[in-house]
Amino acid sequence: MPTSKEAPSSFRTQAPAPAAPRPFHFPQITRLILPNGLKLLIAEKGNAPLVSVQLTVKSGADSDPAGKPGLASLTADMLDEGAGGRSVIEIAEQLGTLGASLASGADWDASYVALDVLSRNLEQALAIFADVVLRPSFRSEDLERVRRERVTTILQQKDEPSIIAAERFSQFVFAETPYGNPLIGTEESIAGMTRDDVQSFYRAHFHPENSVLIITGDVKIDDARQLAEKCLGRWEVAKGVVRRPMKPRPIEQSRIFIVDRPHAVQSEIRIGHVGVDRATEDYFSLIVMNSILGGIFTSRLNLNLRERHGYTYHVRSNFGFRRHAGPFVVGTAVRNEVTKESVEEIISEMRHMRDGEVQQNELDEARNYLMGVFPATVQTASDLAGRLQEMELYGLPEDYFDNYRQKIGAVDAAAVTEVARKYLNPDKVAIVIVGKVDDIRPSLVPLGAPIEVFDIDGRVMAS
């Protein structure tokens, strides 16, 4: 835009200073318990005529029985494939006429059924929602179709280097625990699952005292309570849940696992180890530290591998916060010829994060970013329901999100260094590389770590 006089050069060369964070107040939460033990959380958020309803069952893939990875996910997916005498098509059609959408699924820590609906149609949609939760059909023909679709998805993922790298990393770091398996199962496990398996998992885990019902949006507290009691108040109490232990073997020394893709021109890299659980008291210091290391675009890892060396378009580090200690992992994709150098730079940055100094500008940038994006994560009724689910699953205090930004802002350089030294171990990592073994293995030998070679299914190959 033309101006009457030329702007100063600093206007074009310097980014504006960040403004002070806008005030934010987490909505007030009403907590109730129905007579059958079902927890009910209600939050009024009337900025749109929408309501989000989420039933969270506190059993996910970490509750998969031994030898049956993917059962929690398959069971959750089957819930809306027919329920209460309705077929999957009838469920979709009836919800569509109400301006509603419904989804079911599972992650590592929980299974869920989620409903988003126009507030004026809440009661009608909740009747369908209740059938999905309480009266799923689990018909054999529907199960067979869903199994075929899932096996097809698993086979397709064998052509995706990033998915292969993530699954093999989990396998090597969390061997013999549920976290070591793919969330959606394996080709063999899914193909062998029966209707009895699905019904058994449902009966063992889907009951009110293992669940929480979250209702947020354009709804009054009394109306939400009455509808919850009407739809789920007769859900029968069952026996308590038994969970599998989660004790991965510690990494005693760094090891290199190469997953061979004979025609690959890039190496998909994952480097890391066991991290920490979501309920840790160090959470805020950890997310600031990780942002500096590799969690945002201006992180040390991205400035190193992308900007300084040109090895990759993007590199990222992440803590997988779960009920039990999840993974800490750095992930990127690089050209075959710079695989060794990329591994060295990643480990070097982890070591520098532990032993070096934290600069004030990078600390400020990480904190400002995390504080700035937080309000965007609770904009909608569905976003808010997700945050309430987080509170319930991990036993977070009721005022946790009221003070979220203040706790990020209170993290100082000493706290960042403390958690880096406590939770990063660059000398004991699993180094997983999906790529062309003939091109990358010779360059990795000088790193001094034992090298093993596998196929894409995780089976050991001859040296």
Side-chain angles (χ1 to χ4, degrees), residues 225-282:
R225 177 185 56 78
Q226 291 174 12
L227 287 172
E229 290 179 342
K230 178 181 178 180
C231 293
L232 297 175
R234 296 186 179 181
W235 193 3
E236 294 182 0
V237 177
K239 62 182 180 181
V241 172
V242 177
R243 304 192 190 280
R244 292 178 61 188
M246 193 76 65
K247 295 182 179 180
R249 289 176 293 180
I251 298 174
E252 300 297 338
Q253 65 169 338
S254 293
R255 298 170 64 193
I256 299 172
F257 305 92
I258 301 176
V259 181
D260 187 28
R261 294 188 78 235
H263 303 294
V265 296
Q266 284 198 139
S267 295
E268 193 77 38
I269 299 173
R270 299 293 183 273
I271 299 175
H273 47 63
V274 176
V276 63
D277 63 82
R278 176 61 179 86
T280 175
E281 61 183 11
D282 294 323

Side-chain angles (χ1 to χ4, degrees), residues 324-386:
H324 309 279
F328 164 76
V329 61
V330 178
T332 190
V334 303
R335 305 186 313 276
N336 285 350
E337 58 268 27
V338 296
T339 300
K340 168 182 173 288
E341 291 80 3
S342 299
V343 170
E344 289 177 320
E345 292 298 330
I346 290 170
I347 293 175
S348 174
E349 290 292 357
M350 289 176 62
R351 188 169 287 116
H352 182 58
M353 191 78 247
R354 279 174 50 100
D355 303 327
E357 293 185 0
V358 176
Q359 301 300 315
Q360 188 64 43
N361 66 309
E362 59 183 355
L363 176 63
D364 290 342
E365 188 160 1
R367 293 185 306 194
N368 289 338
Y369 172 81
L370 292 169
M371 288 188 292
V373 300
F374 174 71
T377 67
V378 286
Q379 284 186 322
T380 68
S382 182
D383 293 337
L384 180 56

Side-chain angles (χ1 to χ4, degrees), residues 171-439:
Q171 175 189 346
F172 300 139
V173 172
F174 293 99
E176 301 176 8
T177 74
Y179 285 176
N181 299 316
L183 181 67
I184 66 171
T186 65
E187 182 182 354
E188 294 77 13
S189 68
I190 296 301
M193 285 180 189
T194 67
R195 184 170 185 263
D196 286 343
D197 292 326
V198 171
Q199 289 179 315
S200 294
F201 189 91
Y202 175 83
R203 287 193 296 265
H205 297 278
F206 281 72
H207 40 85
E209 65 272 32
N210 191 41
S211 305
V212 56
L213 182 66
I214 300 167
I215 304 177
T216 61
D218 183 25
V219 62
K220 299 300 182 184
I221 293 173
D222 287 343
D223 293 340
R225 177 185 56 78
Q226 291 174 12
L227 287 172
E229 290 179 342
K230 178 181 178 180
C231 293
L232 297 175
R234 296 186 179 181
W235 193 3
E236 294 182 0
V237 177
K239 62 182 180 181
V241 172
V242 177
R243 304 192 190 280
R244 292 178 61 188
M246 193 76 65
K247 295 182 179 180
R249 289 176 293 180
I251 298 174
E252 300 297 338
Q253 65 169 338
S254 293
R255 298 170 64 193
I256 299 172
F257 305 92
I258 301 176
V259 181
D260 187 28
R261 294 188 78 235
H263 303 294
V265 296
Q266 284 198 139
S267 295
E268 193 77 38
I269 299 173
R270 299 293 183 273
I271 299 175
H273 47 63
V274 176
V276 63
D277 63 82
R278 176 61 179 86
T280 175
E281 61 183 11
D282 294 323
Y283 176 79
F284 292 99
S285 298
L286 274 168
I287 62 172
V288 173
M289 183 273 288
N290 183 68
S291 295
I292 295 170
L293 175 62
I296 58 179
F297 187 78
T298 55
S299 69
R300 292 180 178 184
L301 282 168
N302 215 41
L303 292 176
N304 182 332
L305 271 72
R306 175 190 164 99
E307 302 298 327
R308 190 178 311 140
H309 288 103
Y311 292 159
T312 184
Y313 286 110
H314 186 57
V315 56
R316 187 173 181 84
S317 63
N318 181 60
F319 280 90
F321 293 107
R322 303 173 185 170
R323 178 183 289 120
H324 309 279
F328 164 76
V329 61
V330 178
T332 190
V334 303
R335 305 186 313 276
N336 285 350
E337 58 268 27
V338 296
T339 300
K340 168 182 173 288
E341 291 80 3
S342 299
V343 170
E344 289 177 320
E345 292 298 330
I346 290 170
I347 293 175
S348 174
E349 290 292 357
M350 289 176 62
R351 188 169 287 116
H352 182 58
M353 191 78 247
R354 279 174 50 100
D355 303 327
E357 293 185 0
V358 176
Q359 301 300 315
Q360 188 64 43
N361 66 309
E362 59 183 355
L363 176 63
D364 290 342
E365 188 160 1
R367 293 185 306 194
N368 289 338
Y369 172 81
L370 292 169
M371 288 188 292
V373 300
F374 174 71
T377 67
V378 286
Q379 284 186 322
T380 68
S382 182
D383 293 337
L384 180 56
R387 287 298 190 176
L388 296 184
Q389 179 198 57
E390 195 175 349
M391 291 174 66
E392 282 300 309
L393 278 178
Y394 306 118
L396 306 178
E398 292 188 18
D399 63 350
Y400 190 84
F401 291 112
D402 288 308
N403 302 318
Y404 192 91
R405 292 196 300 178
Q406 293 91 323
K407 290 182 178 180
I408 291 172
V411 175
D412 58 19
V416 169
T417 300
E418 180 182 355
V419 294
R421 290 173 178 170
K422 186 175 180 180
Y423 295 109
L424 296 183
N425 196 337
D427 298 316
K428 295 181 179 180
V429 292
I431 303 168
V432 178
I433 304 172
V434 179
K436 186 177 180 180
V437 66
D438 292 340
D439 285 358

Side-chain angles (χ1 to χ4, degrees), residues 256 258 260 437-438 441 450-454 459-463:
I256 299 172
I258 301 176
D260 187 28
V437 66
D438 292 340
R441 180 172 182 166
I451 299 175
E452 299 176 71
V453 181
F454 298 80
R459 294 184 293 258
V460 178
M461 296 176 62
S463 301

